[in-house]
C-alpha cells in the first residue's frame, strides 16, 4: 500500500497544469465557502447582539399577559421593591423601567402610528445606550414648558419635522379616554434598525405616567447583566425573586432570534456542502480524464499482476492526495482572511441601506469557531472519496488485453 | 524436456454477437522449457490474440490454455491476475513501465506485489538491471531512457518475478535496428545462460533469424512450425 500511495503521490505531479487547476479550485472553493460562512456567522452574531444591546437587553420583566397585546392596565406595581432587589444583585449591571402605550404621533403635515415609551433617560442609557444613537439635537436634558420627545430620524423625515418643532401625541389611557399632548422634538436618533426607529418614540416616564394617571406603575423592566453568559444561571433566581411577574431572558422574549441563530449555522454548512459538491463533479471529471489517459498504463499494470484492489486504491489515493494538498492552502487563506477582517471589519457601507433595514451594522466582523476547520477537512476527504469512486471503478473495469491493444 | 505451455484447439472469436472476427481457428501448440520461439505471420493473422490468450489477458472462445499443468481458462479474474503475477513475465511493444518510478523501482514493483523482502527486491533488481546492461540507469525514470533501454528495463522487470516463461508481443517494433539487436542479444543470453523460456511475436526478419523455433500463423491457423538448431 505504501508503494501504491507513493506512486499515486508522484502521479499528481505528472500533469502539473491540470493538478494545479484542481488544486486552485479546491483551495479557492474552500476559501470562499469558509469565508462566506464566517461572514454569515458574523452578520448573524452582530444582528443578534444588536437586537440584544439596543432592544431586548438580557432580561425583561412584565406583568403576566402584558406582552400578549400590550394592555395598558397590566402593570408592574411594586416598582420600588423590584428596584431594591435588582440594586442588591451583584450580577446585574444596570436596569431601566419603561411605561409604554401605542398611539399616534402627528405633525402639521401627517400622522403615524407609533409605540410611545416613557423612559428614565439616564437609566435607559445605562441599559441600551440610546444617547449613542442621537444624530441631531440632544438627548432629553432640561425641558422647557413643553415636554421633550425623541424620535427616529426616519420617522421625523416622514412626518416632515425638525428638532425644536412641535408634535402631538394621541393615545387612550386605561379608561379608554383619549389623551392628547404636545411635545417638542428634542433630538433625533438613528440605530441600525431603521424599521424599529420608525415605530418607536421616547418621552420621559414621569410625563407619560402623569398623562396615563399612573403613580409609580411601569410596564417593563429591562435588565442588563455584567456578563451575558450568566443568563442561564441567574434566570431561576430572578424568576423566584418575582413570583407574581413574568421574568424572561432575551431568548424567551424573542425565541425567533435564537432559532434563526441555529438555522443560520445549518445554512452556512449547507453552503460549504454545495461548494464541495460542485468541486466533486469537477474532480470526478478530472480523474476520469486521468484514468482514460492512462488506460494503457492501467492495462499494463493489471497485465503484469497488479490486482484490482490496488488499482482502485491507486486512483483513490491520487484523488485524496490531490485534494488534501490543496486543503491546507485553502484553510490558511480562509484563516488569514477571517482573522484580518475579524480585526478590521469588512465595510459594506455601499450597500448599507439593505443592511440597516435588516438591523445590521454595515461593517461586518466575520466569526468562525475553530471546531469548524476539522469539519472542513473531514468534508474534503469525504468529497475526495466520493469523486474518486467512479473513476476508480472505471480503472478497475478495464480489460488488460484491450487496453494494451490501444497502442 | 518439460512442457510448460500446452495449447489445445484454441479458438477466439471477437464480437460474436455483431460482425464476428475469427481471430484464431483452432490452434494447437506445445512449448517446452528453455525454448526461444518466435510467432510470426502477416498483420491480422492473430499473433497478439494468441499471446494474449497464452498470457491469460483474455479468455478464449473455446479450447484450452494449460500452463505448468494448470488450465488457466478455469481461473477467476482475480486468480488469473495472481497467476500472471507468479508465473508469467510480460514485455509489451511499449508502455511497459510506470512513468513515475525509476528503473530500479519499476523492477522492484513486481516483486513488491509478490511480497518479497526488501533485501531480495533490491538485490535482484540491481542484478537484473546489470544483466540487461543498465547499471548506470538504475535511478532514471523511463522518460530519461531511450526506447531500447526502456525495453531492457521491461525485460528485467519481466524476469524479476521469476516467471515460468516470458511473453513478448513485438518487443522490438518501436526500436531502431541497433537497439533491436541489442535487446535480442540480451534475451538470447538470458535464454542460453539462465534457461529462461521466451515466446515472442515479431514482424522483423532479423529477429526471426535469431529464433530457434519459428511458428507461423496465417489467418488464425498455424501454417508452419519449424525448429532449428
Ligand atoms: N478486440 C478486438 N475486437 C475485434 N476484433 C479484434 C480485436 N482484437 C483483434 N481483432 C481482430 O482479430 C484479428 C487478429 O488480430 P491480432 O491483433 O491478433 O493480429 P496480429 O497478428 O497481432 O496483427 P499485427 O501484426 O498487426 O499486430 C484481426 O483481424 C483483428 O482485427
Ligand atoms: Mg499484434
Amino acid at each position: 500500500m505504501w508503494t501504491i500511495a507513493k506512486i499515486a503521490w508522484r502521479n499528481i505531479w505528472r500533469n502539473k497544469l491540470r493538478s494545479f487547476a484542481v488544486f486552485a479550485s479546491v483551495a479557492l472553493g474552500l476559501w470562499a465557502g469558509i469565508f462566506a460562512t464566517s461572514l454569515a456567522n458574523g452578520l448573524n452574531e452582530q444582528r443578534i447582539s444588536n437586537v440584544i444591546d439596543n432592544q431586548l437587553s438580557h432580561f425583561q420583566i412584565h406583568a403576566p399577559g402584558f406582552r400578549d397585546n400590550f394592555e395598558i392596565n397590566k402593570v408592574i406595581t411594586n416598582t420600588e421593591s423590584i428596584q431594591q432587589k435588582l440594586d442588591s444583585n451583584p450580577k446585574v449591571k444596570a436596569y431601566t423601567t419603561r411605561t409604554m402605550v401605542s398611539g399616534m404621533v402627528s405633525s402639521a403635515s401627517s400622522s403615524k402610528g407609533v409605540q410611545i415609551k416613557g423612559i428614565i433617560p439616564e437609566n435607559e442609557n445605562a441599559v441600551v445606550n440610546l444617547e449613542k444613537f442621537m444624530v441631531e439635537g440632544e438627548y432629553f436634558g432640561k425641558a422647557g414648558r413643553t415636554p421633550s420627545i425623541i424620535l427616529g430620524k426616519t420617522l421625523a423625515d416622514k412626518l416632515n419635522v425638525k428638532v425644536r418643532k412641535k408634535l402631538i401625541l394621541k393615545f387612550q389611557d386605561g379608561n379608554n379616554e383619549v389623551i392628547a399632548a404636545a411635545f417638542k422634538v428634542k433630538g433625533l436618533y438613528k440605530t441600525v434598525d431603521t424599521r424599529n426607529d420608525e415605530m418607536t418614540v421616547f418621552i420621559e416616564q414621569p410625563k407619560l405616567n402623569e398623562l396615563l394617571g399612573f403613580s409609580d406603575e411601569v410596564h417593563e423592566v429591562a435588565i442588563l447583566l455584567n456578563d451575558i453568559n450568566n443568563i442561564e444561571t441567574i434566570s431561576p433566581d430572578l424568576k423566584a425573586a418575582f413570583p407574581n411577574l413574568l421574568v424572561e431572558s432575551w431568548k424567551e422574549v424573542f425565541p425567533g432570534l435564537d432559532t434563526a441563530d441555529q438555522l443560520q449555522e445549518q445554512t452556512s454548512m449547507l453552503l460549504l456542502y454545495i461548494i464541495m459538491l460542485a468541486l466533486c463533479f469537477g474532480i470526478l471529471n478530472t480523474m476520469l480524464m486521468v484514468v482514460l489517459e492512462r488506460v494503457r498504463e492501467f492495462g499494463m499494470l493489471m497485465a503484469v499482476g497488479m490486482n484490482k484492489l490496488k488499482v482502485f486504491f491507486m486512483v483513490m489515493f491520487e484523488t485524496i492526495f490531490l485534494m488534501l494538498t490543496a486543503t491546507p492552502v485553502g484553510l490558511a487563506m480562509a484563516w488569514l482572511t477571517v482573522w484580518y477582517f475579524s480585526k478590521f471589519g469588512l465595510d459594506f457601507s455601499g450597500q448599507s441601506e439593505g443592511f440597516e433595514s435588516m438591523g445590521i451594522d454595515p461593517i461586518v466582523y466575520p466569526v468562525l469557531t475553530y471546531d469548524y476547520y476539522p469539519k472542513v477537512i473531514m468534508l474534503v476527504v469525504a468529497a475526495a472519496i466520493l469523486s474518486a469512486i467512479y473513476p476508480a471503478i472505471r480503472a478497475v473495469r478495464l480489460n488488460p488485453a484491450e487496453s494494451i491493444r490501444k497502442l | 524436456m518439460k512442457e510448460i505451455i500446452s495449447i489445445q484447439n484454441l479458438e477466439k472469436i471477437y464480437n460474436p454477437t455483431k460482425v464476428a472476427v475469427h481471430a484464431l481457428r483452432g490452434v494447437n501448440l506445445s512449448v517446452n522449457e528453455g525454448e526461444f520461439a518466435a510467432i510470426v505471420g502477416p498483420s491480422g493473422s492473430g499473433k497478439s490474440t494468441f499471446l494474449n490468450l497464452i498470457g491469460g489477458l483474455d479468455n478464449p472462445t473455446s479450447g484450452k490454455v494449460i500452463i505448468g499443468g494448470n488450465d488457466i481458462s478455469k481461473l477467476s479474474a482475480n486468480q488469473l491476475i495472481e497467476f500472471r503475477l507468479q508465473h508469467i513475465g510480460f514485455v509489451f511493444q511499449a508502455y511497459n513501465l510506470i512513468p513515475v518510478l525509476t528503473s530500479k523501482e519499476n523492477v522492484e514493483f513486481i516483486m513488491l506485489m509478490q511480497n518479497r523482502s526488501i533485501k531480495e527486491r533490491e538485490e535482484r533488481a540491481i542484478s537484473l538491471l546489470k544483466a540487461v546492461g543498465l547499471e548506470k540507469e538504475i535511478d532514471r525514470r523511463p522518460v530519461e531512457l531511450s526506447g531500447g533501454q526502456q525495453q531492457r528495463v521491461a525485460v528485467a522487470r519481466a524476469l524479476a518475478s521469476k516467471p515460468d516463461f516470458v511473453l513478448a508481443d513485438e518487443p522490438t517494433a518501436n526500436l531502431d535496428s541497433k537497439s533491436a539487436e541489442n535487446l535480442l542479444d540480451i534475451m538470447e543470453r538470458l535464454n542460453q545462460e539462465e534457461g529462461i523460456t521466451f515466446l515472442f511475436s515479431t514482424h522483423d526478419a532479423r529477429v526471426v533469424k535469431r529464433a530457434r523455433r519459428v511458428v507461423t500463423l496465417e489467418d488464425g491457423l498455424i501454417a508452419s512450425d519449424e525448429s532449428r538448431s
Side-chain angles (χ1 to χ4, degrees):
Chain A
M1 269 307 150
W2 173 243
T3 308
I4 303 289
K6 184 170 85 182
I7 295 173
W9 172 254
R10 290 191 190 165
N11 277 337
I12 294 177
W13 310 105
R14 277 166 75 168
N15 189 331
K16 294 206 175 64
L17 187 67
R18 182 169 56 204
S19 293
F20 180 75
V22 172
F23 189 91
S25 65
V26 172
L28 284 176
L30 283 180
W31 173 78
I34 296 174
F35 188 53
T37 303
S38 75
L39 273 184
N41 282 349
L43 270 175
N44 193 49
E45 283 202 4
Q46 265 161 267
R47 191 174 57 91
I48 291 177
S49 63
N50 269 329
V51 177
I52 293 173
D53 292 351
N54 303 336
Q55 290 167 33
L56 293 180
S57 315
H58 295 157
F59 278 98
Q60 292 192 358
I61 303 177
H62 302 98
F66 173 75
R67 283 211 301 121
D68 297 343
N69 41 19
F70 300 94
E71 233 176 278
I72 199 160
N73 291 327
K74 295 200 166 146
V75 289
I76 301 169
T77 46
N78 45 346
T79 317
E80 203 160 316
S81 84
I82 292 174
Q83 288 176 342
Q84 276 167 12
K85 282 183 189 166
L86 292 178
D87 281 336
S88 64
N89 192 324
K91 284 181 180 151
V92 172
K93 184 180 176 193
Y95 64 89
T96 187
T97 59
R98 296 173 188 139
T99 311
M100 46 183 96
V101 62
S102 26
M104 294 280 287
V105 58
S106 313
S107 67
S109 56
S110 62
S111 329
K112 277 257 166 200
V114 288
Q115 171 117 67
I116 303 153
K117 291 192 176 178
I119 58 169
I120 315 283
E122 57 273 27
N123 292 357
E124 191 71 15
N125 250 352
V127 177
V128 295
N129 201 358
L130 187 55
E131 191 168 6
K132 189 176 82 183
F133 297 102
M134 300 307 294
V135 287
E136 271 173 52
E138 50 185 324
Y139 180 66
F140 294 104
K142 219 178 119 48
R145 245 184 327 123
T146 331
S148 306
I149 185 167
I150 303 275
L151 65 159
K153 172 90 170 87
T154 38
L155 178 59
D157 289 346
K158 289 210 168 146
L159 292 171
N160 205 8
V161 292
K162 301 222 147 42
V163 176
R164 279 187 296 279
K165 290 285 185 292
K166 274 191 185 171
L167 287 174
I168 307 293
L169 287 184
K170 250 187 231 165
F171 51 87
Q172 294 186 330
D173 72 2
N175 305 318
N176 292 338
E177 302 272 356
V178 175
I179 293 165
F183 290 83
K184 192 192 232 171
V185 177
K186 191 80 178 171
L188 304 178
Y189 71 90
K190 183 173 193 281
T191 69
V192 291
D193 188 352
T194 42
R195 239 182 333 175
N196 197 55
D197 292 358
E198 230 174 284
M199 296 187 312
T200 317
V201 302
F202 296 95
I203 59 176
E204 286 179 272
Q205 196 178 92
K207 183 69 198 169
L208 185 56
N209 280 15
E210 178 199 318
L211 292 169
L212 289 171
F214 286 6
S215 52
D216 68 343
E217 295 98 322
V218 293
H219 290 120
E220 182 171 279
V221 182
I223 301 168
L224 192 68
L225 302 181
N226 285 312
D227 184 355
I228 188 166
N229 298 316
N230 280 337
I231 287 183
E232 307 299 335
T233 53
I234 201 176
S235 179
D237 299 348
L238 283 180
K239 285 180 192 199
F242 309 109
N244 300 322
L245 295 171
L246 192 61
V247 180
E248 294 166 301
S249 72
W250 67 268
K251 283 184 194 179
E252 294 164 299
V253 175
F254 194 169
L257 201 57
D258 198 31
T259 6
D261 194 22
Q262 288 158 11
L263 197 71
Q264 154 68 28
E265 238 167 70
Q266 284 157 13
T267 336
S268 59
M269 260 335 254
L270 192 71
L271 180 73
L272 200 70
Y273 289 147
I274 291 170
I275 290 179
M276 293 312 287
L277 198 69
L279 280 178
C280 273
F281 282 105
I283 284 154
L284 188 143
N285 185 47
T286 307
M287 289 315 290
L288 217 52
M289 267 165 62
V290 165
V291 168
L292 293 180
E293 232 168 56
R294 294 197 206 139
V295 160
R296 291 187 210 101
E297 195 178 320
F298 285 119
M300 179 274 293
L301 286 169
M302 287 192 275
V304 301
M306 185 162 166
N307 65 38
K308 289 169 190 275
L309 196 69
K310 291 192 171 109
V311 172
F312 184 85
F313 273 105
M314 204 157 100
V315 177
M316 212 64 168
F317 280 148
E318 192 167 331
T319 318
I320 294 173
F321 291 160
L322 195 57
M323 285 184 82
L324 276 187
T325 41
T327 306
V329 177
L331 290 186
M333 271 168 24
W335 182 82
L336 267 175
T337 4
V338 171
W339 173 82
Y340 178 84
F341 286 112
S342 66
K343 256 203 151 114
F344 301 107
L346 187 58
D347 197 342
F348 283 101
S349 326
Q351 291 88 21
S352 70
E353 290 300 319
F355 275 84
E356 286 182 12
S357 67
M358 287 192 295
I360 309 170
D361 200 64
I363 296 178
V364 179
Y365 296 87
V367 174
L368 207 61
T369 49
Y370 281 102
D371 64 342
Y372 187 75
Y373 292 103
K375 275 190 214 160
V376 171
I377 294 172
M378 267 153 52
L379 207 60
V380 172
V381 175
I385 291 172
L386 204 68
S387 44
I389 286 177
Y390 181 63
I393 288 175
R394 285 291 294 266
V396 163
R397 283 217 193 120
L398 290 172
N399 173 320
E402 272 170 33
S403 317
I404 292 164
R405 177 172 285 278
K406 295 198 176 110
L407 282 172
Chain B
M1 270 288 159
K2 199 177 134 206
E3 181 185 54
I4 47 172
I5 305 171
S6 168
I7 308 296
Q8 298 166 9
N9 272 322
L10 199 62
E11 264 194 280
K12 178 69 184 178
I13 304 170
Y14 289 110
N15 286 333
T17 51
K18 295 180 231 150
V19 190
V21 178
H22 238 104
L24 292 178
R25 312 163 179 264
V27 176
N28 291 288
L29 187 76
S30 169
V31 178
N32 289 333
E33 203 172 40
E35 285 204 54
F36 198 66
I39 313 279
V40 300
S43 185
S45 58
K47 302 183 296 293
S48 298
T49 304
F50 192 37
L51 289 184
N52 284 347
L53 291 179
I54 297 174
L57 297 174
D58 206 353
N59 298 315
T61 309
S62 70
K64 280 184 181 167
V65 176
I66 297 168
I67 292 170
N70 302 297
D71 185 351
I72 65 164
S73 43
K74 292 214 172 78
L75 300 177
S76 73
N78 277 327
Q79 285 172 323
L80 206 52
I81 292 178
E82 183 64 20
F83 187 86
R84 292 199 296 261
L85 176 64
Q86 305 296 354
H87 298 278
I88 308 173
F90 289 92
V91 178
F92 303 104
Q93 187 177 328
Y95 300 101
N96 272 294
L97 306 175
I98 303 175
V100 296
L101 297 184
T102 64
S103 310
K104 179 162 154 273
E105 288 168 332
N106 261 292
V107 177
E108 277 186 68
F109 184 65
I110 196 123
M111 293 184 275
L112 188 93
M113 290 194 293
Q114 292 179 314
N115 297 320
R116 307 260 171 125
S117 72
I118 300 185
K119 193 167 167 290
E120 186 185 353
R121 268 165 17 212
E122 292 231 335
E123 284 174 6
R124 192 165 165 77
I126 291 169
S127 81
L128 282 167
L129 285 167
K130 273 188 187 150
V132 297
L134 291 174
E135 53 265 86
K136 289 203 208 74
E137 286 78 11
I138 273 175
D139 291 320
R140 295 211 197 150
R141 290 194 185 183
V143 283
E144 301 163 325
L145 299 173
S146 72
Q149 289 172 327
Q150 289 182 26
Q151 290 304 78
R152 276 142 69 189
V153 177
V155 169
R157 196 268 316 270
L159 295 176
S161 62
K162 296 189 179 157
D164 300 351
F165 60 95
V166 175
L167 282 180
D169 191 4
E170 310 210 21
T172 60
N174 289 2
L175 303 182
D176 58 65
S177 53
K178 196 162 162 262
S179 309
E181 292 288 344
N182 183 252
L183 188 71
L184 256 288
D185 288 343
I186 288 164
M187 285 166 58
E188 206 165 41
R189 204 187 63 234
L190 288 163
N191 172 256
Q192 274 161 9
E193 290 173 9
E194 322 266 330
I196 290 159
T197 313
F198 278 93
L199 192 57
F200 52 92
S201 73
T202 188
H203 271 123
D204 189 334
R206 277 165 309 188
V207 177
V208 179
K209 203 173 64 200
R210 315 266 297 248
R212 288 205 309 282
R213 179 180 178 186
V214 179
V215 178
T216 310
L217 276 181
E218 249 163 55
D219 207 10
L221 284 168
I222 294 186
S224 72
D225 184 350
E226 302 166 19
S227 293
R228 49 201 183 204
S229 46

